[in-house]
Amino acid sequence: MEGGDVAAASPPVDGGGEAREARKPAKAPDAGVVKERKPSPSGVGVVRRAAPPPGAPGGGRPEAPLLPGGAGKEKDLMKIVVQQNKKQAAANADMCAIMVGTASCGKSTLLKGLKNNDEEPKPTLALEYSFLRKINAADGRKDVAHLWEIGGGTAMQNMLDVPLTESSVKTATVVIVADLSQPDELFVGVSYWLERLRLRMQDIDKVFKSKEATARLMDQLKERSAKRFGEKHPDNLKDGKEGTWGRGMIKHTGVNVIIVATKWDLFAKKDPELKKVMGRCLRFLAHMNGASLLYCGQGEKMLVDKFRAILSHYLFKAPAVKTKETNHLKPLVVPAGSDSLEDIGLPPVLDKSAMEKATTPLDLWKGVYEGYFCKNGVSPELPTGPATLAEFDPDRKFEEKAVDSALYQKELDLELHRDSTKRDLMEERRDARAGAPKVVRRVSAAPPKSTAPPP
């Protein structure tokens, strides 16, 4: 019998053989049990042992721990590293402040108080560099901010292009300093530097737009300024009702701007009405450009501390200044975004002709200011070309004999060359009228160098 033959041919197995196991239905292995085949005394057999716990020797690879962000989902570590690098780069970015203003308005004195320096400030000839350093309380890191001071007033306005570049514009703060003791030049001086800043930002924007990666960078800088100013500020919104006063009138430059009116200690003695007009005009000018405004004076440590706090907010991410002072009888402190056109009010128009000539709100305020503070109601013209050495150093405090002698000799040679050229030109015209043949004239040789001292 075939079945008997199979049974006879099968060797005996302790506890049951494979032939007998084959007839039974397959049974699922117990959980946590690993089957391991080992030869039994009879030849074949199955031995069962308990599986070791995960992580134990021989227990196989342990399961990876779950990271925050959802069960069973691992966060992308590369994204975490990139975000951390961006934060670190933002923290280590070089911040800078650029101080500009009219000539002898008190920029160096303001810097002296800012740095707690006891040295007597010297006139700034062109462009001077210094720095501020502050220890970060969070990690003990020393944060450094670069300070640039442009001397010579509006005559050196081209020097603004040196510190304000495509690489520094993202972290720059421009401080416009004005002199309250010279009110006739104050409004036009601040307006000039605001316009000069916008022209420089336009040049930088052209460079940004020439590259696809930075084409929208200037728009992003202006959006950042609008966000700092206050996204819900009524004068900052562009979607207000048509004809609503102040809606969307703020013109952000893209950088932080602080307007500092110095020498308050001298202006405080003026008539209260003049102080009121001055305060409202400067508040309007600062507010329309998204800038902060404050007064400073000689020996006014509290006002210098306010300036330091506002500047530290931009340079070192210190807490924003919440103090606001708009009383014209006191030194003004108006952080950017804390004022409004409604609080400033309408300008006190002196006559109807000024109101008819004005084409913009700025023109109207400028006309009011000039009517109160400027001779004949007209602002003086500010020098915008290269300044001479006499304008820089009228008291001759920085004389150098070798340099002054060489300069005098060059000026003398230039004057003699001009006289010679003018004389030759007159002779040519006289000969042409007389019908004489044209004579080729040689340029007069330069006279021997003079050893006379400069006048």
Side-chain angles (χ1 to χ4, degrees):
M1 204 166 111
E2 188 176 357
D5 293 338
V6 173
S10 300
V13 179
D14 294 340
E18 283 186 352
R20 208 176 302 170
E21 290 286 344
R23 297 190 187 100
K24 296 182 180 181
K27 184 177 180 182
D30 297 337
V33 176
V34 178
K35 290 185 178 181
E36 191 177 85
R37 290 185 175 274
K38 288 186 178 181
S40 64
S42 56
V44 287
V46 177
V47 179
R48 296 188 177 187
R49 63 179 178 85
R61 182 180 179 182
E63 296 182 5
L66 296 179
L67 296 176
K73 296 181 180 179
E74 293 187 0
K75 229 176 182 181
D76 190 351
L77 295 180
M78 184 56 67
K79 290 183 178 180
I80 298 176
V81 173
V82 171
Q83 291 175 358
Q84 290 178 348
N85 289 340
K86 286 183 177 180
K87 291 181 179 179
Q88 187 68 22
N92 295 333
D94 289 339
M95 314 299 289
C96 74
I98 307 168
M99 300 190 69
V100 299
T102 53
S104 303
C105 61
K107 298 184 293 294
S108 300
T109 304
L110 189 63
L111 274 178
K112 170 190 171 184
L114 185 65
K115 298 186 291 185
N116 295 321
N117 193 346
D118 296 333
E119 296 181 2
E120 188 67 24
K122 297 180 180 179
T124 304
L125 295 183
L127 182 65
E128 289 192 3
Y129 169 80
S130 58
F131 64 90
L132 288 176
R133 185 163 50 198
K134 183 179 180 181
I135 299 178
N136 194 318
D139 52 10
R141 183 181 67 250
K142 292 183 179 180
D143 297 330
V144 177
H146 308 286
L147 292 181
W148 299 91
E149 180 189 356
I150 298 178
T154 54
M156 300 297 293
Q157 45 93 15
N158 288 333
M159 298 299 292
L160 180 64
D161 300 351
V162 177
L164 189 59
T165 62
E166 297 83 5
S167 58
S168 66
V169 68
K170 293 181 286 187
T171 59
T173 297
V174 177
V175 182
I176 302 177
V177 185
D179 188 355
L180 285 170
S181 66
Q182 301 291 335
D184 56 331
E185 297 182 354
L186 191 147
F187 195 92
V188 66
V190 175
S191 301
Y192 177 86
W193 280 110
L194 285 170
E195 185 62 26
R196 180 65 181 84
L197 173 61
R198 292 188 184 280
L199 292 176
R200 178 56 181 161
M201 296 297 286
Q202 290 176 7
D203 294 339
I204 295 176
D205 188 30
K206 292 179 182 179
V207 178
F208 286 158
K209 281 185 167 52
S210 63
K211 302 177 183 178
E212 185 177 357
T214 57
R216 290 197 67 256
L217 185 54
M218 187 59 67
D219 295 334
Q220 294 173 354
L221 292 176
K222 292 182 179 180
E223 291 172 1
R224 182 188 66 178
S225 299
K227 185 176 180 180
R228 289 178 176 175
F229 188 85
E231 291 179 310
K232 298 183 179 180
H233 195 289
D235 301 336
N236 204 29
L237 298 174
K238 294 184 178 180
D239 55 352
K241 296 180 180 179
E242 186 177 357
T244 303
W245 172 253
R247 294 281 181 172
M249 293 180 64
I250 310 301
K251 299 179 180 179
H252 297 285
T253 59
V255 297
N256 307 311
V257 180
I258 306 174
I259 300 175
V260 183
T262 59
K263 304 182 183 180
W264 160 254
D265 51 316
L266 301 178
F267 188 73
K269 303 173 184 178
K270 298 288 185 179
D271 185 82
E273 183 64 21
L274 294 179
K275 289 189 284 188
K276 181 179 180 180
V277 175
M278 174 68 75
R280 293 178 63 190
C281 289
L282 288 182
R283 285 173 60 189
F284 176 83
L285 190 58
H287 184 68
M288 290 297 294
N289 290 275
S292 299
L293 169 68
L294 73 153
Y295 288 176
C296 281
Q298 185 73 22
E300 299 282 351
K301 185 177 182 302
M302 183 183 67
L303 299 179
V304 176
D305 291 341
K306 292 295 182 184
F307 171 61
R308 183 185 292 108
I310 295 177
L311 191 61
S312 297
H313 171 61
Y314 293 135
L315 298 182
F316 302 115
K317 299 181 181 179
V321 176
K322 302 296 183 181
T323 306
K324 178 184 176 182
E325 181 59 71
T326 57
N327 185 354
H328 61 274
L329 299 177
K330 299 179 180 179
L332 301 185
V333 179
V334 189
S338 63
D339 214 345
S340 67
L341 293 173
E342 184 178 359
D343 292 341
I344 297 172
L346 296 175
V349 181
L350 296 178
D351 51 40
K352 292 183 179 180
S353 60
M355 193 170 184
E356 292 174 354
K357 293 179 182 178
T359 57
T360 63
L362 179 60
D363 293 337
L364 187 58
W365 280 97
K366 181 181 178 182
V368 171
Y369 185 92
E370 291 176 338
Y372 274 93
F373 296 103
C374 298
K375 186 178 180 180
N376 299 326
V378 179
S379 297
E381 292 186 6
L382 299 176
T384 56
T388 63
L389 187 61
E391 293 174 340
F392 273 124
D393 186 23
D395 299 329
R396 306 176 74 91
K397 294 181 180 179
F398 305 96
E399 287 186 335
E400 294 187 21
K401 292 184 178 180
V403 176
D404 294 342
S405 178
L407 177 62
Y408 172 73
Q409 181 63 43
K410 290 296 182 182
E411 290 177 346
L412 181 62
D413 293 346
L414 179 61
E415 188 65 26
L416 292 174
H417 176 71
R418 287 174 177 172
D419 292 342
S420 176
T421 303
K422 185 178 179 180
R423 185 172 59 255
D424 292 345
L425 183 59
M426 292 176 62
E427 291 180 0
E428 288 180 3
R429 290 178 179 175
R430 187 177 62 249
D431 294 344
R433 286 195 298 266
K438 186 176 180 181
V439 179
V440 179
R441 304 180 187 275
R442 294 183 179 181
V443 179
S444 302
K449 292 186 178 181
S450 172
T451 57

